Amino acid sequence: MAHDGRVTLPSFPALESLPVLDHLDLVAPPVAGLLAAWPQADQVAVVEIDPELADTAAMTAEYDLPLAASGNCVVVVGARAGEERIAACVVRADTRADVNSLVRKLIDVRKATFLSMERAVEESGMEYGGITPVGLPGGWRLLVDERLLAEPVVILGSGVRRSKLLVPGPVLADLPGAEVVADLGR
């Protein structure tokens, strides 16, 4: 750690990270709420970015980051017997969530689709393009691709477009409600 409190992660030298617990103002309120109570939060860092770079392709290009170290969170919905089922799926950015086959079976619905942007933003309390598996609504399932757990550090949304979270891959399995799934991303 540098004398000013900033940390540069060896795997991402272009990103200066800060201990997230000292900078909860850089994340969305639901994310801050979970982090403040989560025992593993002391392992999580936050980096400020230009909001125009929040999309994975722009960020990885600008900072020369590997796609495999970025986790994309998509929210899927389906229904069975009149009961709506929502799941957040976190996959490596070099893959896509297997929504039509694996996710559909896991949430036990006939048809799974992406939750509308408006609903995802409203129900999560997060900004579009910043939705993260950290601090999701309690009724949502959280499916995490097991390949992310092998990454030393995973870059995730922070709930807002102006920052990103840096989370040790293995710690993703400890998120509340996390279900680790093989081959979630294809």
Side-chain angles (χ1 to χ4, degrees), residues 38 40 43 144 146-154 167-175 178 180:
W38 190 41
Q40 287 83 353
Q43 299 177 57
V144 178
E146 75 175 349
R147 287 174 284 198
L148 286 170
L149 277 56
E151 294 296 326
V153 177
V154 178
V167 181
V171 172
L172 293 174
D174 296 328
L175 282 167
V180 177

Side-chain angles (χ1 to χ4, degrees), residues 51-65 67 161:
E52 296 300 315
L53 299 175
D55 295 327
T56 303
M59 183 168 172
T60 55
E62 178 71 21
Y63 296 106
D64 192 28
L65 302 170
L67 278 175
R161 292 183 61 88

Side-chain angles (χ1 to χ4, degrees), residues 75-96:
V75 184
V76 176
V77 64
R80 160 101 42 212
E83 174 193 339
E84 186 176 68
R85 300 171 184 190
I86 298 176
C89 305
V90 187
V91 298
R92 286 186 353 189
D94 61 351
T95 67
R96 294 183 181 267

Side-chain angles (χ1 to χ4, degrees), residues 10-21:
S11 54
F12 307 130
L15 299 176
E16 280 196 78
S17 62
L18 302 167
V20 74
L21 291 174

